[in-house]
Amino acid sequence: MTVEFGVLGSVEAEVDGRSAKLGHTRQRGVLAVLAVDLNRTVTTDQLVDRVWGDRPPRQAVSTLRGYLSRLRQALAGTREAAIARQPGGYALTTADTVSVDLHGFRHLLTRARATDDDIRAAALFEQALRLWRAEPFATLDTPWFNALRDTLVQERHAADLDLVDLRLRLGRHATLPAELSARAEAHPLDERLAGQLMLALHRCGRSAEALDHYHRTRGRLVRELGIDPGKALRDIQSAILRPAAVPTSAPAPRPSAPPLAPVAQLPLSVAAFTGRATELARLDELLPADTGTATGTGTGTGTGTGTATVPRPTVVVSVISGTAGVGKTALAVHWAHRVRHAFPDGQLYVNLRGFDPGGPAVDTADAVRGFLNALGVPPDRVPSGLQAQAGLYRGLLAGRRVLVLLDNARDAQQVRPLLPGAPGCVALVTSRHHLAGLAATEGARLLAVDLLAPDQARSLLAARLGLRRTAAEPGAVDEIVTRCAGLPLALAITAARAAAQPHLPLTALADELRRAEGRLDALDGGDPASRLRAVLSTSYQALSPDAARLFRLLGLHPGPDITLPAAASLAGLPRSRTGALLTELTRGSLLTQHVPGRYACHDLLRVHATELVTAHDSDDGRRSAVHRTLDHYLHTAHAADALLTCTRDPIVLPPAHPGTTPEELTGHRGALAWFSAEQAVLLGAVGRSPAGFDTHTWQLASTLITFLDRTGHWPALNTALTTALRAAQRQDDRSGQATSHRGLGFVGSRLGHPDAQYHYTRARDLFGELGDRSGQARVHQELGRISLGEGHFDEALAHARQALAHYRAARNRGGEAVALNHVGRYRARLGDHRRALADCRRALALAEETEDLDGQAYAWDALGYIHHHLGEDAHAVDCYRTALELFRRTGDRYHEAGSSADLGDAHHAAADLEAAHRAWARALTLFDELGHPKAAALRSRISTLDGLPADTPVTART
């Protein structure tokens, strides 16, 4: 009996041509995970994590066993495939890997790219692409499936482009323009695709259209990325202008990707780096084939003809693993600096903080957004959702040579979305774990870093202290090497202590290490961390009293890093004095200034600081330091939030604790920059506030709502507000509960959580008990939006009227403008356009009176909608254009997309088809980048532009 499995679409299995009954979505998800890792063991923990993400059921393992049992029954009767129990997990075993369409797809692509026969290659590409039925893993929505889906979509896009290159080479260009035009609408910044479309148009005798597409592409690149087209695309334009230069059957030039913004994120290399010659040689093997090491000796294995280079078939990934403090980061950063010349398009770096005891690991979505920012993508051009953001990131790196250094990774899942997706790039990962999963699925090369050998450790000390000094006391050096157990971090700290005291005999340091008692708890089996406490203690004891106190207090800070103003509040000292202490700690290697103005310490140093502050500082002293720190962030965040939005009823804060020095921010940009820099610290402060600071927890979380919403960090906001709600409930703080429920309803509606309605209802009841009319109003306006989205227009209007009544009772003019606009929009949906027009005009006047740009934008958008449905399309166009200008100023990309779509409707009704096409194309681009399902309907509308009635709505916006 033959068995075939499909994941490139819905998850399916066929046994002898008949569809197997695989059960519900979660059960199909289990089969999909096993099919992806075909013939390899998937652990039980991996299955639970991949199938349920961060929301596993209480009895996940027993539930999983039930799913596996039913899947075995579905596949019963065939010997071609089986779900086998393996040590530690399960495996789907088959004799033929291509029985899974995913593996068949990749197998065909490999064969296509390996053959020199263009006709054969094109047939193989076409066969591979026919395996796709729809989006992979349809209906499965967990971080693991989403990340893999994005990778597969990128692989399909690359295969599409490769096939087009072959068709152009084979002279099969006649049918390409229509296909490529639609694809270019979806990928308007893809220069390779633009070049293919231009060549196809030119060879079909449509050179004017080809040149017109070039100018449109160039204009978009300039407007949206601030760059000009790359040389290859310019060359195609020039060749089209000289027809003889473009043979009709010659291979089409491959356009290069647009140039990146200058990227050079590598941290400073370790001074006097020594040893690791074997490891460096292994890393040199990662270099692309046509490059060499810093000395010019290439170690790649690729071959080429003339000056051309044969690219590697996939991205090169390497994982440096080893125990804490063994020098993984130092090795990676040193090598990265050594081979920078091999990566002319730049170097990206992020510390993922996978094993930071002072705080959670960096969210992968935040890391992707950081890379997009570094690559020069404007904030308003970043799509929502990790999948879309990772796709944009990989697209920007396509066709380039970039080194991506992912430091201190927690696990393979944290890393995968950050890996480039095209040849020419190298990803270097450091982690305490081996990350064997990356070797299995991404072909990563694993490099384990061990402790330094005694001679390497001596060389490190000699490089730091000078050969004369170490040669003068060889016995002391041997003792230090022994006591540091070959751990580079311990050796570096000891060397820094000795360098700071040039007249101190090394024998004295060796004696101190020998006599020191106490141990740091081992972080991993076999980790020689017990020697590290002695090293840290000797460095700590050499500090001045104030510097020692500041170092201890750093153990109370949420991390991952701290600024001078925050450190001053932590210590309760003037900033000038705190700056001097930070300098002392940096010189003693107890802190590093990893970016200008931000200080961090190694995770083991943080553990040591925590132990010291517990042992040496009183309960009152520790509590006061925590109070000052939380007040520093709360009062600064409160002020920053007020700068970002017209806060209508801000939380009233008590005076800051004595010794606290909140930061003074100026303007919208200053507030946004501060939030961006402190985001990880603020989320850490919310997540790890100690007992007795519950009010700080919910108030600080509430100040983050506007910033995290505008930047699309909804999962992080949801986590913070969940913590805030628990904190308010512990204190029976009704105001805190109401505010947190309202925030959870808001972010839940953004994320599509089914409990958003519950949170809004609970917030409404609590605000009612408190007599908070503005709070009740805001909840009603959000409930109205939910009712509108469900098509309950009468119910939405009732909510809007209640919101209006509450705002008026509270004498809240800004809120009244918002509620009036909702009343008008919902009346328009019910067909009462004249009264709706009056409501929205009053809303606009109030929004202008209160200088609320958001309110003005929504009012103009609503007026455009009403005029359009009254048949006054010229007025509608003017209103939509004004709304669009305001939405761009406020960075509201979702509503900009909706207004662009509606503007297209108004142009279409006025028979201006060219303007309609432009507006709809802009809306489609935005919806695609946001990953919004409205993109599909709009794409269909554009493709049948002339066949639809003028009054057909593009979207049913909520």
Side-chain angles (χ1 to χ4, degrees), residues 191-231:
E191 291 194 53
R192 182 183 177 192
L193 179 56
Q196 291 177 336
L197 176 55
M198 290 169 62
L199 287 168
L201 289 168
H202 171 72
R203 292 175 183 179
C204 291
R206 298 160 64 182
S207 300
E209 293 178 59
L211 295 172
D212 182 60
H213 184 70
Y214 173 83
H215 290 299
R216 290 200 306 273
T217 301
R218 180 184 179 279
R220 188 182 294 272
L221 289 168
V222 171
R223 286 194 309 272
E224 300 183 17
L225 298 181
I227 59 175
D228 283 316
K231 182 178 182 298

mmCIF file of all heavy atoms in Angstrom, residues 191-231:
data_model
loop_
_atom_site.group_PDB
_atom_site.id
_atom_site.type_symbol
_atom_site.label_atom_id
_atom_site.label_comp_id
_atom_site.label_asym_id
_atom_site.label_seq_id
_atom_site.Cartn_x
_atom_site.Cartn_y
_atom_site.Cartn_z
ATOM 1 N N GLU A 191 13.986 43.802 -6.420
ATOM 2 C CA GLU A 191 14.625 44.272 -7.650
ATOM 3 C C GLU A 191 14.878 43.146 -8.647
ATOM 4 O O GLU A 191 14.858 43.359 -9.851
ATOM 5 C CB GLU A 191 15.921 44.997 -7.313
ATOM 6 C CG GLU A 191 15.709 46.320 -6.604
ATOM 7 C CD GLU A 191 16.957 47.159 -6.593
ATOM 8 O OE1 GLU A 191 17.530 47.387 -7.675
ATOM 9 O OE2 GLU A 191 17.381 47.565 -5.500
ATOM 10 N N ARG A 192 15.141 41.949 -8.130
ATOM 11 C CA ARG A 192 15.329 40.841 -9.066
ATOM 12 C C ARG A 192 14.047 40.591 -9.846
ATOM 13 O O ARG A 192 14.059 40.419 -11.072
ATOM 14 C CB ARG A 192 15.736 39.591 -8.300
ATOM 15 C CG ARG A 192 15.997 38.387 -9.212
ATOM 16 C CD ARG A 192 16.332 37.157 -8.403
ATOM 17 N NE ARG A 192 16.500 35.994 -9.257
ATOM 18 C CZ ARG A 192 16.564 34.738 -8.820
ATOM 19 N NH1 ARG A 192 16.477 34.507 -7.517
ATOM 20 N NH2 ARG A 192 16.715 33.731 -9.654
ATOM 21 N N LEU A 193 12.928 40.593 -9.156
ATOM 22 C CA LEU A 193 11.637 40.413 -9.796
ATOM 23 C C LEU A 193 11.339 41.555 -10.765
ATOM 24 O O LEU A 193 10.836 41.342 -11.871
ATOM 25 C CB LEU A 193 10.545 40.315 -8.722
ATOM 26 C CG LEU A 193 9.105 40.145 -9.184
ATOM 27 C CD1 LEU A 193 8.958 38.924 -10.075
ATOM 28 C CD2 LEU A 193 8.195 40.012 -7.963
ATOM 29 N N ALA A 194 11.657 42.772 -10.348
ATOM 30 C CA ALA A 194 11.444 43.919 -11.230
ATOM 31 C C ALA A 194 12.251 43.772 -12.520
ATOM 32 O O ALA A 194 11.761 44.057 -13.623
ATOM 33 C CB ALA A 194 11.814 45.211 -10.509
ATOM 34 N N GLY A 195 13.492 43.326 -12.385
ATOM 35 C CA GLY A 195 14.323 43.130 -13.572
ATOM 36 C C GLY A 195 13.774 42.063 -14.491
ATOM 37 O O GLY A 195 13.797 42.203 -15.722
ATOM 38 N N GLN A 196 13.242 40.983 -13.910
ATOM 39 C CA GLN A 196 12.658 39.930 -14.745
ATOM 40 C C GLN A 196 11.445 40.446 -15.519
ATOM 41 O O GLN A 196 11.271 40.143 -16.705
ATOM 42 C CB GLN A 196 12.251 38.752 -13.857
ATOM 43 C CG GLN A 196 13.433 38.000 -13.268
ATOM 44 C CD GLN A 196 12.989 36.890 -12.337
ATOM 45 O OE1 GLN A 196 11.893 36.932 -11.783
ATOM 46 N NE2 GLN A 196 13.843 35.893 -12.143
ATOM 47 N N LEU A 197 10.594 41.222 -14.842
ATOM 48 C CA LEU A 197 9.421 41.772 -15.515
ATOM 49 C C LEU A 197 9.832 42.710 -16.644
ATOM 50 O O LEU A 197 9.256 42.685 -17.747
ATOM 51 C CB LEU A 197 8.531 42.498 -14.509
ATOM 52 C CG LEU A 197 7.304 43.220 -15.087
ATOM 53 C CD1 LEU A 197 6.427 42.270 -15.899
ATOM 54 C CD2 LEU A 197 6.498 43.862 -13.966
ATOM 55 N N MET A 198 10.837 43.539 -16.397
ATOM 56 C CA MET A 198 11.298 44.462 -17.441
ATOM 57 C C MET A 198 11.806 43.698 -18.661
ATOM 58 O O MET A 198 11.493 44.041 -19.810
ATOM 59 C CB MET A 198 12.386 45.367 -16.872
ATOM 60 C CG MET A 198 11.886 46.390 -15.856
ATOM 61 S SD MET A 198 13.245 47.216 -14.998
ATOM 62 C CE MET A 198 14.070 48.025 -16.379
ATOM 63 N N LEU A 199 12.592 42.649 -18.434
ATOM 64 C CA LEU A 199 13.113 41.871 -19.549
ATOM 65 C C LEU A 199 11.986 41.180 -20.326
ATOM 66 O O LEU A 199 11.983 41.150 -21.554
ATOM 67 C CB LEU A 199 14.108 40.833 -19.037
ATOM 68 C CG LEU A 199 15.458 41.390 -18.586
ATOM 69 C CD1 LEU A 199 16.241 40.327 -17.842
ATOM 70 C CD2 LEU A 199 16.258 41.881 -19.791
ATOM 71 N N ALA A 200 11.006 40.625 -19.573
ATOM 72 C CA ALA A 200 9.901 39.950 -20.246
ATOM 73 C C ALA A 200 9.095 40.929 -21.091
ATOM 74 O O ALA A 200 8.730 40.625 -22.246
ATOM 75 C CB ALA A 200 9.004 39.273 -19.206
ATOM 76 N N LEU A 201 8.810 42.107 -20.538
ATOM 77 C CA LEU A 201 8.070 43.112 -21.305
ATOM 78 C C LEU A 201 8.844 43.547 -22.541
ATOM 79 O O LEU A 201 8.291 43.663 -23.651
ATOM 80 C CB LEU A 201 7.774 44.328 -20.409
ATOM 81 C CG LEU A 201 6.725 44.121 -19.304
ATOM 82 C CD1 LEU A 201 6.747 45.289 -18.325
ATOM 83 C CD2 LEU A 201 5.325 43.951 -19.901
ATOM 84 N N HIS A 202 10.125 43.807 -22.365
ATOM 85 C CA HIS A 202 10.949 44.255 -23.488
ATOM 86 C C HIS A 202 10.978 43.214 -24.605
ATOM 87 O O HIS A 202 10.830 43.542 -25.788
ATOM 88 C CB HIS A 202 12.362 44.545 -23.000
ATOM 89 C CG HIS A 202 13.343 44.816 -24.104
ATOM 90 N ND1 HIS A 202 13.324 45.987 -24.832
ATOM 91 C CD2 HIS A 202 14.356 44.059 -24.607
ATOM 92 C CE1 HIS A 202 14.296 45.949 -25.734
ATOM 93 N NE2 HIS A 202 14.929 44.795 -25.616
ATOM 94 N N ARG A 203 11.142 41.940 -24.236
ATOM 95 C CA ARG A 203 11.241 40.900 -25.253
ATOM 96 C C ARG A 203 9.895 40.612 -25.909
ATOM 97 O O ARG A 203 9.845 39.967 -26.959
ATOM 98 C CB ARG A 203 11.810 39.630 -24.616
ATOM 99 C CG ARG A 203 13.261 39.830 -24.217
ATOM 100 C CD ARG A 203 13.812 38.647 -23.477
ATOM 101 N NE ARG A 203 15.188 38.902 -23.053
ATOM 102 C CZ ARG A 203 15.921 38.045 -22.358
ATOM 103 N NH1 ARG A 203 15.418 36.884 -22.015
ATOM 104 N NH2 ARG A 203 17.152 38.358 -22.010
ATOM 105 N N CYS A 204 8.811 41.076 -25.272
ATOM 106 C CA CYS A 204 7.493 40.967 -25.892
ATOM 107 C C CYS A 204 7.150 42.214 -26.694
ATOM 108 O O CYS A 204 5.991 42.423 -27.080
ATOM 109 C CB CYS A 204 6.424 40.726 -24.823
ATOM 110 S SG CYS A 204 6.525 39.100 -24.048
ATOM 111 N N GLY A 205 8.133 43.082 -26.922
ATOM 112 C CA GLY A 205 7.911 44.292 -27.697
ATOM 113 C C GLY A 205 7.228 45.402 -26.918
ATOM 114 O O GLY A 205 6.655 46.313 -27.529
ATOM 115 N N ARG A 206 7.297 45.359 -25.596
ATOM 116 C CA ARG A 206 6.627 46.353 -24.758
ATOM 117 C C ARG A 206 7.670 47.115 -23.955
ATOM 118 O O ARG A 206 7.608 47.224 -22.735
ATOM 119 C CB ARG A 206 5.620 45.648 -23.842
ATOM 120 C CG ARG A 206 4.525 44.931 -24.626
ATOM 121 C CD ARG A 206 3.802 43.857 -23.839
ATOM 122 N NE ARG A 206 3.075 44.384 -22.708
ATOM 123 C CZ ARG A 206 2.397 43.611 -21.838
ATOM 124 N NH1 ARG A 206 2.376 42.282 -22.018
ATOM 125 N NH2 ARG A 206 1.758 44.157 -20.825
ATOM 126 N N SER A 207 8.654 47.660 -24.653
ATOM 127 C CA SER A 207 9.776 48.322 -23.986
ATOM 128 C C SER A 207 9.332 49.547 -23.201
ATOM 129 O O SER A 207 9.883 49.849 -22.133
ATOM 130 C CB SER A 207 10.844 48.716 -25.006
ATOM 131 O OG SER A 207 11.326 47.578 -25.679
ATOM 132 N N ALA A 208 8.365 50.278 -23.693
ATOM 133 C CA ALA A 208 7.907 51.468 -22.969
ATOM 134 C C ALA A 208 7.348 51.083 -21.601
ATOM 135 O O ALA A 208 7.593 51.751 -20.594
ATOM 136 C CB ALA A 208 6.849 52.215 -23.785
ATOM 137 N N GLU A 209 6.585 49.971 -21.576
ATOM 138 C CA GLU A 209 6.055 49.506 -20.288
ATOM 139 C C GLU A 209 7.178 49.056 -19.369
ATOM 140 O O GLU A 209 7.115 49.258 -18.152
ATOM 141 C CB GLU A 209 5.071 48.362 -20.514
ATOM 142 C CG GLU A 209 3.804 48.766 -21.231
ATOM 143 C CD GLU A 209 2.898 47.573 -21.466
ATOM 144 O OE1 GLU A 209 2.510 46.923 -20.474
ATOM 145 O OE2 GLU A 209 2.596 47.286 -22.650
ATOM 146 N N ALA A 210 8.199 48.445 -19.952
ATOM 147 C CA ALA A 210 9.335 48.004 -19.139
ATOM 148 C C ALA A 210 10.021 49.191 -18.484
ATOM 149 O O ALA A 210 10.337 49.169 -17.287
ATOM 150 C CB ALA A 210 10.327 47.219 -19.995
ATOM 151 N N LEU A 211 10.243 50.239 -19.269
ATOM 152 C CA LEU A 211 10.895 51.432 -18.714
ATOM 153 C C LEU A 211 9.981 52.129 -17.699
ATOM 154 O O LEU A 211 10.451 52.666 -16.692
ATOM 155 C CB LEU A 211 11.282 52.380 -19.836
ATOM 156 C CG LEU A 211 12.355 51.839 -20.797
ATOM 157 C CD1 LEU A 211 12.517 52.774 -21.979
ATOM 158 C CD2 LEU A 211 13.693 51.657 -20.067
ATOM 159 N N ASP A 212 8.689 52.107 -17.963
ATOM 160 C CA ASP A 212 7.752 52.702 -17.007
ATOM 161 C C ASP A 212 7.788 51.951 -15.682
ATOM 162 O O ASP A 212 7.738 52.551 -14.607
ATOM 163 C CB ASP A 212 6.347 52.671 -17.589
ATOM 164 C CG ASP A 212 5.329 53.320 -16.652
ATOM 165 O OD1 ASP A 212 5.484 54.528 -16.350
ATOM 166 O OD2 ASP A 212 4.400 52.623 -16.192
ATOM 167 N N HIS A 213 7.895 50.619 -15.761
ATOM 168 C CA HIS A 213 7.983 49.832 -14.513
ATOM 169 C C HIS A 213 9.276 50.155 -13.766
ATOM 170 O O HIS A 213 9.285 50.201 -12.530
ATOM 171 C CB HIS A 213 7.917 48.332 -14.821
ATOM 172 C CG HIS A 213 7.896 47.474 -13.592
ATOM 173 N ND1 HIS A 213 6.814 47.412 -12.750
ATOM 174 C CD2 HIS A 213 8.856 46.679 -13.049
ATOM 175 C CE1 HIS A 213 7.096 46.602 -11.743
ATOM 176 N NE2 HIS A 213 8.331 46.142 -11.910
ATOM 177 N N TYR A 214 10.346 50.358 -14.503
ATOM 178 C CA TYR A 214 11.598 50.752 -13.840
ATOM 179 C C TYR A 214 11.412 52.049 -13.062
ATOM 180 O O TYR A 214 11.819 52.159 -11.898
ATOM 181 C CB TYR A 214 12.718 50.920 -14.871
ATOM 182 C CG TYR A 214 13.982 51.499 -14.268
ATOM 183 C CD1 TYR A 214 14.908 50.692 -13.613
ATOM 184 C CD2 TYR A 214 14.243 52.863 -14.338
ATOM 185 C CE1 TYR A 214 16.053 51.218 -13.048
ATOM 186 C CE2 TYR A 214 15.388 53.406 -13.775
ATOM 187 C CZ TYR A 214 16.291 52.574 -13.129
ATOM 188 O OH TYR A 214 17.421 53.105 -12.555
ATOM 189 N N HIS A 215 10.797 53.036 -13.682
ATOM 190 C CA HIS A 215 10.633 54.327 -13.009
ATOM 191 C C HIS A 215 9.710 54.212 -11.801
ATOM 192 O O HIS A 215 9.941 54.848 -10.766
ATOM 193 C CB HIS A 215 10.106 55.366 -13.999
ATOM 194 C CG HIS A 215 11.114 55.766 -15.044
ATOM 195 N ND1 HIS A 215 12.325 56.367 -14.716
ATOM 196 C CD2 HIS A 215 11.111 55.630 -16.400
ATOM 197 C CE1 HIS A 215 13.007 56.597 -15.831
ATOM 198 N NE2 HIS A 215 12.307 56.158 -16.860
ATOM 199 N N ARG A 216 8.665 53.363 -11.902
ATOM 200 C CA ARG A 216 7.787 53.172 -10.739
ATOM 201 C C ARG A 216 8.538 52.477 -9.604
ATOM 202 O O ARG A 216 8.398 52.842 -8.444
ATOM 203 C CB ARG A 216 6.552 52.352 -11.127
ATOM 204 C CG ARG A 216 5.576 53.100 -12.021
ATOM 205 C CD ARG A 216 4.189 52.433 -11.961
ATOM 206 N NE ARG A 216 4.235 51.020 -12.276
ATOM 207 C CZ ARG A 216 4.149 50.529 -13.508
ATOM 208 N NH1 ARG A 216 4.027 51.352 -14.545
ATOM 209 N NH2 ARG A 216 4.172 49.224 -13.712
ATOM 210 N N THR A 217 9.345 51.495 -9.962
ATOM 211 C CA THR A 217 10.118 50.787 -8.941
ATOM 212 C C THR A 217 11.130 51.717 -8.289
ATOM 213 O O THR A 217 11.289 51.734 -7.057
ATOM 214 C CB THR A 217 10.843 49.579 -9.556
ATOM 215 O OG1 THR A 217 9.877 48.700 -10.137
ATOM 216 C CG2 THR A 217 11.645 48.833 -8.501
ATOM 217 N N ARG A 218 11.811 52.481 -9.103
ATOM 218 C CA ARG A 218 12.783 53.425 -8.545
ATOM 219 C C ARG A 218 12.104 54.418 -7.609
ATOM 220 O O ARG A 218 12.599 54.703 -6.517
ATOM 221 C CB ARG A 218 13.489 54.183 -9.668
ATOM 222 C CG ARG A 218 14.528 55.189 -9.162
ATOM 223 C CD ARG A 218 15.147 56.004 -10.291
ATOM 224 N NE ARG A 218 16.115 56.951 -9.744
ATOM 225 C CZ ARG A 218 15.797 58.120 -9.204
ATOM 226 N NH1 ARG A 218 14.508 58.489 -9.147
ATOM 227 N NH2 ARG A 218 16.728 58.920 -8.711
ATOM 228 N N GLY A 219 10.946 54.941 -8.024
ATOM 229 C CA GLY A 219 10.240 55.892 -7.174
ATOM 230 C C GLY A 219 9.851 55.277 -5.843
ATOM 231 O O GLY A 219 9.954 55.911 -4.789
ATOM 232 N N ARG A 220 9.400 54.040 -5.865
ATOM 233 C CA ARG A 220 9.007 53.373 -4.620
ATOM 234 C C ARG A 220 10.217 53.135 -3.710
ATOM 235 O O ARG A 220 10.152 53.323 -2.499
ATOM 236 C CB ARG A 220 8.329 52.039 -4.941
ATOM 237 C CG ARG A 220 7.724 51.367 -3.719
ATOM 238 C CD ARG A 220 7.118 50.032 -4.106
ATOM 239 N NE ARG A 220 5.991 50.177 -4.995
ATOM 240 C CZ ARG A 220 4.741 50.353 -4.581
ATOM 241 N NH1 ARG A 220 4.482 50.426 -3.297
ATOM 242 N NH2 ARG A 220 3.759 50.452 -5.440
ATOM 243 N N LEU A 221 11.340 52.716 -4.298
ATOM 244 C CA LEU A 221 12.547 52.493 -3.503
ATOM 245 C C LEU A 221 13.018 53.789 -2.843
ATOM 246 O O LEU A 221 13.415 53.800 -1.677
ATOM 247 C CB LEU A 221 13.667 51.925 -4.383
ATOM 248 C CG LEU A 221 13.482 50.482 -4.860
ATOM 249 C CD1 LEU A 221 14.498 50.156 -5.942
ATOM 250 C CD2 LEU A 221 13.625 49.525 -3.696
ATOM 251 N N VAL A 222 12.966 54.867 -3.584
ATOM 252 C CA VAL A 222 13.400 56.158 -3.039
ATOM 253 C C VAL A 222 12.465 56.611 -1.924
ATOM 254 O O VAL A 222 12.896 57.050 -0.859
ATOM 255 C CB VAL A 222 13.476 57.212 -4.162
ATOM 256 C CG1 VAL A 222 13.717 58.601 -3.572
ATOM 257 C CG2 VAL A 222 14.588 56.857 -5.144
ATOM 258 N N ARG A 223 11.150 56.485 -2.180
ATOM 259 C CA ARG A 223 10.174 56.958 -1.179
ATOM 260 C C ARG A 223 10.187 56.115 0.082
ATOM 261 O O ARG A 223 10.142 56.637 1.188
ATOM 262 C CB ARG A 223 8.760 56.928 -1.775
ATOM 263 C CG ARG A 223 8.459 58.012 -2.786
ATOM 264 C CD ARG A 223 6.951 58.086 -3.045
ATOM 265 N NE ARG A 223 6.385 56.792 -3.355
ATOM 266 C CZ ARG A 223 6.323 56.271 -4.579
ATOM 267 N NH1 ARG A 223 6.824 56.951 -5.607
ATOM 268 N NH2 ARG A 223 5.760 55.084 -4.797
ATOM 269 N N GLU A 224 10.241 54.797 -0.083
ATOM 270 C CA GLU A 224 9.999 53.925 1.052
ATOM 271 C C GLU A 224 11.272 53.457 1.740
ATOM 272 O O GLU A 224 11.247 53.155 2.942
ATOM 273 C CB GLU A 224 9.163 52.727 0.608
ATOM 274 C CG GLU A 224 7.809 53.153 0.039
ATOM 275 C CD GLU A 224 6.942 51.967 -0.350
ATOM 276 O OE1 GLU A 224 7.245 50.858 0.113
ATOM 277 O OE2 GLU A 224 5.980 52.160 -1.102
ATOM 278 N N LEU A 225 12.372 53.340 1.026
ATOM 279 C CA LEU A 225 13.619 52.885 1.642
ATOM 280 C C LEU A 225 14.732 53.920 1.572
ATOM 281 O O LEU A 225 15.789 53.731 2.177
ATOM 282 C CB LEU A 225 14.099 51.580 0.980
ATOM 283 C CG LEU A 225 13.164 50.370 1.095
ATOM 284 C CD1 LEU A 225 13.786 49.168 0.408
ATOM 285 C CD2 LEU A 225 12.849 50.056 2.546
ATOM 286 N N GLY A 226 14.516 54.984 0.829
ATOM 287 C CA GLY A 226 15.538 56.017 0.709
ATOM 288 C C GLY A 226 16.758 55.570 -0.073
ATOM 289 O O GLY A 226 17.861 56.055 0.162
ATOM 290 N N ILE A 227 16.587 54.646 -1.036
ATOM 291 C CA ILE A 227 17.716 54.131 -1.811
ATOM 292 C C ILE A 227 17.368 54.157 -3.294
ATOM 293 O O ILE A 227 16.199 54.188 -3.685
ATOM 294 C CB ILE A 227 18.095 52.698 -1.389
ATOM 295 C CG1 ILE A 227 16.899 51.758 -1.586
ATOM 296 C CG2 ILE A 227 18.573 52.666 0.045
ATOM 297 C CD1 ILE A 227 17.194 50.309 -1.306
ATOM 298 N N ASP A 228 18.414 54.114 -4.130
ATOM 299 C CA ASP A 228 18.251 53.995 -5.578
ATOM 300 C C ASP A 228 18.348 52.522 -5.972
ATOM 301 O O ASP A 228 18.882 51.702 -5.217
ATOM 302 C CB ASP A 228 19.331 54.795 -6.304
ATOM 303 C CG ASP A 228 19.022 56.291 -6.297
ATOM 304 O OD1 ASP A 228 17.858 56.641 -6.549
ATOM 305 O OD2 ASP A 228 19.943 57.092 -6.027
ATOM 306 N N PRO A 229 17.869 52.175 -7.166
ATOM 307 C CA PRO A 229 18.023 50.787 -7.627
ATOM 308 C C PRO A 229 19.483 50.383 -7.689
ATOM 309 O O PRO A 229 20.386 51.212 -7.880
ATOM 310 C CB PRO A 229 17.392 50.812 -9.024
ATOM 311 C CG PRO A 229 16.459 51.980 -9.002
ATOM 312 C CD PRO A 229 17.113 52.995 -8.120
ATOM 313 N N GLY A 230 19.729 49.069 -7.543
ATOM 314 C CA GLY A 230 21.072 48.546 -7.637
ATOM 315 C C GLY A 230 21.614 48.577 -9.061
ATOM 316 O O GLY A 230 20.878 48.808 -10.034
ATOM 317 N N LYS A 231 22.906 48.288 -9.182
ATOM 318 C CA LYS A 231 23.565 48.388 -10.483
ATOM 319 C C LYS A 231 22.939 47.468 -11.522
ATOM 320 O O LYS A 231 22.748 47.856 -12.681
ATOM 321 C CB LYS A 231 25.053 48.055 -10.331
ATOM 322 C CG LYS A 231 25.847 48.170 -11.633
ATOM 323 C CD LYS A 231 27.316 47.868 -11.404
ATOM 324 C CE LYS A 231 28.119 48.032 -12.699
ATOM 325 N NZ LYS A 231 27.666 47.101 -13.749
#
